[in-house]
Amino acid sequence: MSMRTGHRRRRGGWAPSALLIHLLVVALLLAACSQPSEEPAADGGQDPEPAADGGQDSEPAAEAPASIKIGGFFTLSGAITAPEGLWGSEIAVETVNDNGGIDGVPLELVVRDHQCQAEQMGPAMGGAVQQDIVAGLVACSGPALAGAPIAAEEEVLLFNIGGSALELAGASDYLFNALVLGDQTVLAGLNYLANDAEVETLSVIYANDAVGNSLNGMISEEADRFDIEVLDSFAYAPETSDFSGVLERVEQGQPDAVYIASLGSATGQIRRQAVERGYDPPMLSYAGVYGEIADIAGPALEGTLWTSPELDLETDVGQEYLEKFEAAHPDSSSGYVDVTPHDAILIIAEAFRAAAEEGGEWWTGPRLRQAVLEQRRFEGLVGGTYEFTDIGTVVRPVEVYRWTDGDAEAVARYSVSDLVELRQ
Amino acid sequence: MLDFFVSGLIVGSDLALITVGVALIYNTTRVFHFAHGLVVVLSAYTAYTLNSAGLPLWLAAIAAVPVAMAAGMLCEAPLYRAIRARHGGPLALFTASFGLLVIGTSAVQIVWGPTPRRYDIAHVGESFHFFGARVTTLELVTVATALVLLVAAGWVLSRSRVGLRMRAVASNLERAHLLGLRPKRVYLMTFALGSALAVPGAVLHTARFGVEPQVGLRVILLAVVALILAGIGNTAGAIVSAYLVGLVSTVPLQYIDPRWSQTLVFLVLLAVLLVRPTGIFGETQARRYEMRSGH
Amino acid sequence: MDLIIDVVIRAAILALAVASVDLLLGMVGRFSIAQGAIYGIGAYTVGLALANNLVPYVAAVVLGALLGALVLATVALITVRIEHFYLAIATLAVQVVIVQFLGNAEGVTGGWAGVFGIGRPVLGPIELSATGLLVLTLVVTAAVLFAVHRIQHSSLGLYARAVKCDARLAESYGFGSRGPVVAVFALSGAVAAIAGGLYAVHARFIDPTSFGIETSLLFLIAYFVGGPRWLGALLAGVTLTGIDQAMHLFNLPPSLTGPLPQLVYGALLVLFMLFVPNGLQGAVRALWRRAAGRAEPVHAEPHSVHASAPEGGAP
C-alpha cells in the first residue's frame, strides 16, 4: 500500500478550523447558559423526588407555576411527517388560554420532533421533562411505546394521539390513547371485506415495524372469524420504495383483496405501482388517505379503501374548529390527525379544571392522571365523545372510506356497540 | 419465473445508466464519485419541477440534462481539482464526494420537502405481454432507452475523438499530457458525459418509484455495488454487472421472502469478493502490481 | 441539567465510536463501513439483556464487546485479500447484512419494531440515575480511550504500522501481516460495541435504523472532522454533538430540523478535506505548538487522510 508522507499542511490551513472551534465553544456556552434561565420558572415541581412521594399534602403553601407545560412530541420531519398534530394542539392551547387558562394559569406547549423514531423519544422526553412538563402528547406508535415507561417514571401523563399499535393498550399507567387502536379498525376492516366486498381470500402487505407487525398479527388471528383465508403476508422494510417484488408475489397468489397494514406514504406507493402494472384488486389500507398518500398515488388512488376513526365536523364545535383551522392553515384540510391532538389538549384542560376545584397542588402529573381516571368520559369535543377504559384505551366509532372520483366517500360505519359486538 | 427475470432486466436498465457514469468517471479521473447520487437526485427533481409546470416528462428530462452536466462538472471543477492540487489522495476525494452527496440530499429535502413526489405521466396501467411476462409501457420505455443510450455511449467511448481522449488520459496521464491533451478538460468532459447519462436513469427510476430526497443515496449504493462487483476499471463490465444486480435482486424473489432480497444482493457481493477480491472483471492483484511498478 | 447530561453522554459515545474507526484507519489503514452495525451489536446485546433481565449490565457490556470483537475479527479474516474500495464495499455489505438480520429476525431481536423497556443499568447495589450514567459513560470513555492510546503505542501498534506501510515488506521481515490486522479489527469491534452498550442504556430504546449505513458514515464523518488519536476522537464527539445541539437552540422550523444538521455535516466534511486534512486534532496540535513556540513539524501526521489514502490512484 503506498503511503504519501511529506505533504505539509499549508499555513492557512488551520485558520478556518480555529474559527470553527471558536464557534463551537460559543455554541456550547450558549447551550450551557440557556439552562439557568429556565429554572426559576418552575420552583414548585423543581425537584422531582420529593414531589413524587408526598407532593399532595406535605407542602400546602406551594404556588401554582406561571404556566402549565405540556410536551408535544410530534413527527415534524422524516419519512412520516405530520405537522397537523402540532397545528391541532396549537389551536386547542389558544382556545384554552383565551378562556382564562386553568384557574388563571395558561397552558404552554413544549414542542419536540422525534421524526416518528422511537429512539429519539427518550432524549426528547428527557429534555422536555427538564423543562417541567406534566403532561404530553405523542404521535406515532414507536415513540409512544418508548415514551410509556419513561412517562410512568417521570409521572408525566402522556396522551397517544397518533400511534395505533395494539401494544399501546395498557403499556403504562401514565399513557392514555386518545386514538382508536388498531384492533378496532382491523375488525371493522375485515368485517367490511367479508360482508360488503365478498372477499374470501386475502394477502397482507405490512411494514416491518411496530404498527405493521402488530396489525399483521391481528389480521391473521381474526380473519378466520370472518371466513377469510389469509394466503400470504409480506413484510417490507420501512422506507422501501420499490414494491414490485412484493406485488409480483401477491399477484401470483391471486387473492380477492389486499390488506395494506402500514402507515405513511407506502399505501400510495403500493397502490400506484400495482395499478401501473395493471394489477388492480380491492385494496384496504390501514393508513388514512390524506396529503402525501393521495399525492404520490395520484389517479391510481381511485377505488382504494381505508379505515379511519369516525370524524363528524358538522357539529357546532366542529364548525368552529374548522374555521380556526382553515384560517391558520388555508392550504390543508382537517382530519383526525389534527383533531385528536386538539381534543387531547381539551381533555387535559378539563381534567386539570376538575383537579383545581379539589384544591392542593393540582398542577402535577399524578393529579392529572387521577382526574382523567375519575371522569373517564369527555363529551362535546370536536371529535365527539372520548371514553377511556381501565387500560388506557379509548372506544370510538370507526368508518370505512373509499376514494371515489377524487374524494373520500364513507361506505360503512361501525358504532361503538357494533365494534363491541364484532369483538365477541 | 419469466416475470421476475423481466423485472430484473428493468431494474438493471436504469441502474446500468447510472453505474456507467460512475464507472466512466472513476476510470478516467480516479475519483470514486459518490456525489453521482447528487446528480441523480438533482436531475429527478429538476424533471419533476418542469413536469409539474406542464412540460411532458420526456421534454422535462431533456431539459434536466444541462442541469445534471453542470452539477457533475461543478463537483470536478472547483472541488476535486482543489483537493488534487492539495495532494489529496483517493480517500480524500471519496470523502469529499460523499460530503457533497450529503449536502445535496439535505438541500433537496429543504427545498422540496421529504415526501415522495410523482410525475404526471400518461399511459398508466397500459401493459403488453411478452412470452407470458407482462411489461408496462413505462418499463418498455425504460429498457429501450437504456439499450439505445448504452450502445450510443459505447460508440462515443470507442470511436469518437472525445472517447479516445478519455481513454488516453485514463491509461496514462503523463503520456497524455505530453501528447498535448489537456487532462483538465478531458476530466470535465468525462464528468459532463457521465452526468448526462445519469439523467435518463434517474428519471426512469423515479417514474416508477417516486421522486424523493433519499433516492440518490439509495441508487448510488446499488451502483457502487455493481461497480465493485464488476471490478473497478472496466466500464463494459460495470454495465453487465448492473444488470446482474438487477437480476439478483428480483429473480430469487419467487423463492424467498421479499424482505431478504437486499440481504441476498449484498451476500452475493461479499461471496464474489471473497473468491475474486477485485471483482468479476477486475484486474488481478499481480496485474496491478505489474502496472504500478511500470510507472 | 438533563439536557447537558444528554449532550455529554452522546458526545462521549460518539468519541468512542470514532476511536474504533481510528484503530482501523490509523493503525492498519483499513477502512470499515460496518462500524455502525458493530455498534448495533453492542447495543442489542445490552438492550436485549436488560429488557429481558437476562444478565447484569456489566456482563452484558462485556458480552457485547466480545461479540463485536468476534464479528469484526471474522470480517478481517474473510476480507484479508480484499483491499481499498473493494474492502470499503465489502464491509458495507457486512453492515447491510447485519442490520437486515437485526430487522428481519424478529424472533431473536424484536425486528424493526425495536427493543422496548430497556431498564436503567444496575452496578452492584446501585441503580444508576441519569447522573450516574453520565459518570459511568465518562469513566468508560476515558478508560477505553486511554487503553486505545496505549495499544497504539505498544508493540502491536508498531507491527500494525509496519503492516500498514507495506504488508509485503513487513512479511519479509518476519512479521505475519494477518495477525496484527485481525487483532486490531477485534479491538476496534470491541470498542464500537462498548459504545453501543452505553448508547442502549442512554436511549433506552433501540431499533435497527439507529445502526444503519448512515450511522457508519456518521462515524467516518466524525473521524475526518476530529482527526486521528484520542484527541481527535474527543474533538469529533464534542464538535458533532455540539453542532446537533446548537441547531436545537435556534428554534428551527420543523422542515429544517432533520436536513439542516446533515447539511452542516456534509459541508464540514468537504471543507475539512480541503482545508483541514488532519482534522481538528491536527489544527489544535498546530495551535498548541505555535503557542508553545515550537517549529512546525517537518512531517505530516503518519495517519492523516491524505497519507492513508488507499491505492496509488492518480499519479
Side-chain angles (χ1 to χ4, degrees), chain C residues 47-66:
Chain C
L48 289 170
L50 291 196
N52 304 316
N53 287 319
L54 298 176
V55 286
Y57 180 63
V58 177
V61 172
V62 172
L63 204 65
L66 287 176

Side-chain angles (χ1 to χ4, degrees), chain A residues 1 3-4 7 9 13-14 17 20-21 24 28 31 35 76-77 113 115 118-119 126 130 142 145-146 153 208 210 238, chain C residues 1-3 104 112-113 116 120 165 199 204-205 207 210 254 257-258 272 275 278 283-284 286-287 290 300 306-307:
Chain A
M1 209 171 289
M3 195 172 102
R4 232 183 286 258
H7 158 51
R9 209 170 44 251
W14 59 269
S17 69
L20 264 167
I21 298 172
L24 188 80
L28 283 177
Q35 291 325 118
L76 303 172
S77 56
D113 177 17
Q115 305 187 319
E119 81 273 9
Q130 183 254 335
L145 277 168
E153 208 168 276
N208 205 347
Chain C
M1 222 15 230
D2 279 6
L3 186 65
N104 286 336
W112 295 100
F116 297 96
R120 290 185 180 282
C165 284
Y199 171 77
R204 304 184 63 186
F205 166 84
D207 72 11
S210 316
T257 49
F272 270 66
F275 303 113
N278 281 323
V284 168
L287 215 65
R290 183 164 296 195
H306 292 173

Side-chain angles (χ1 to χ4, degrees), chain A residues 3-5, chain B residues 91, chain C residues 21-29 152-153 157 161 164 223-224 227-230 277-279 281 285 299-309:
Chain A
M3 195 172 102
R4 232 183 286 258
T5 47
Chain B
L91 183 56
Chain C
V21 175
D22 180 36
L23 272 169
L24 296 182
L25 261 171
M27 283 180 77
V28 288
Q152 281 172 336
H153 292 85
R161 218 187 278 179
K164 176 187 168 188
Y223 174 77
F224 290 124
R229 310 269 184 86
W230 63 271
N278 281 323
Q281 177 264 172
R285 279 184 190 221
H299 63 279
E301 279 291 326
H303 28 220
S304 84
V305 177
H306 292 173
S308 63

Side-chain angles (χ1 to χ4, degrees), chain A residues 30 32 77 168 173 200 222 242 279 282 326 338 361 369 398:
Chain A
L30 276 174
S77 56
L168 284 167
D173 286 348
E200 285 170 4
E222 300 290 338
D242 176 357
Y279 178 54
E326 277 161 12
D338 52 87
E361 264 184 60
R369 173 169 178 268
V398 173

Side-chain angles (χ1 to χ4, degrees), chain B residues 12 14-25 36 219 222-228 235 238-239 241-242:
Chain B
D14 48 44
L15 189 58
L17 284 170
I18 291 162
T19 310
V20 73
V22 187
L24 193 61
I25 288 169
H36 203 55
V219 168
L222 277 182
V224 166
V225 167
L227 183 68
I228 292 291
T235 310
I239 294 171
S241 136

Side-chain angles (χ1 to χ4, degrees), chain C residues 8 10 17 24 36 62 79 87 103 109 114 177 187 193 198 202 216 227 263 271-272 288 290 302 311:
Chain C
V8 175
R10 271 164 38 208
L24 296 182
V62 172
T79 59
L87 177 66
T109 61
S177 71
L187 276 171
L198 291 170
H202 175 56
S216 283
L263 189 95
L271 289 174
F272 270 66
W288 185 74
R290 183 164 296 195
E311 198 162 19

Side-chain angles (χ1 to χ4, degrees), chain B residues 5 32 47 72 80 114 127 160 163 182 202-203 244 275:
Chain B
F5 189 78
F32 209 83
Y80 297 156
S127 56
S160 75
R182 276 171 291 181
V203 171
L244 266 180
V275 181

Side-chain angles (χ1 to χ4, degrees), chain A residues 264-419:
Chain A
S265 57
T267 294
Q269 288 274 22
I270 293 172
R271 180 71 193 167
R272 190 171 72 98
Q273 286 172 31
V275 171
E276 278 178 9
R277 43 190 297 129
Y279 178 54
D280 188 15
M283 287 195 181
L284 178 76
S285 168
Y286 170 72
V289 171
Y290 59 93
E292 59 184 75
I293 297 180
D295 280 349
I296 185 68
L301 201 60
E302 190 69 24
T304 309
L305 298 160
W306 73 96
T307 49
S308 167
E310 182 192 50
L311 190 61
D312 177 15
L313 294 181
E314 296 299 309
T315 57
D316 287 347
V317 274
Q319 288 300 313
E320 203 178 308
Y321 171 74
L322 261 188
E323 259 171 46
K324 285 183 193 167
F325 184 90
E326 277 161 12
H329 309 284
D331 298 329
S332 307
S333 59
S334 174
Y336 73 95
V337 190
D338 52 87
V339 168
T340 314
H342 172 267
D343 289 355
I345 296 269
L346 294 188
I347 291 169
I348 290 172
E350 204 174 323
F352 263 136
R353 280 200 195 98
E357 269 177 30
E358 286 183 24
E361 264 184 60
W362 54 264
W363 51 85
T364 65
R367 287 293 301 276
L368 175 64
R369 173 169 178 268
Q370 195 186 332
V372 173
L373 278 176
E374 271 166 21
Q375 185 167 344
R376 297 263 173 157
R377 201 176 154 89
F378 296 82
E379 289 171 334
L381 300 171
V382 175
T385 301
Y386 294 71
E387 188 168 351
F388 293 101
T389 66
D390 285 337
I391 52 168
T393 56
V394 74
V395 187
R396 304 195 50 210
V398 173
E399 281 188 312
V400 181
Y401 294 87
R402 187 178 185 280
W403 192 261
T404 313
D405 299 330
D407 207 356
E409 178 200 13
V411 290
R413 176 179 188 277
Y414 295 86
S415 66
V416 171
S417 57
D418 292 337
L419 289 169

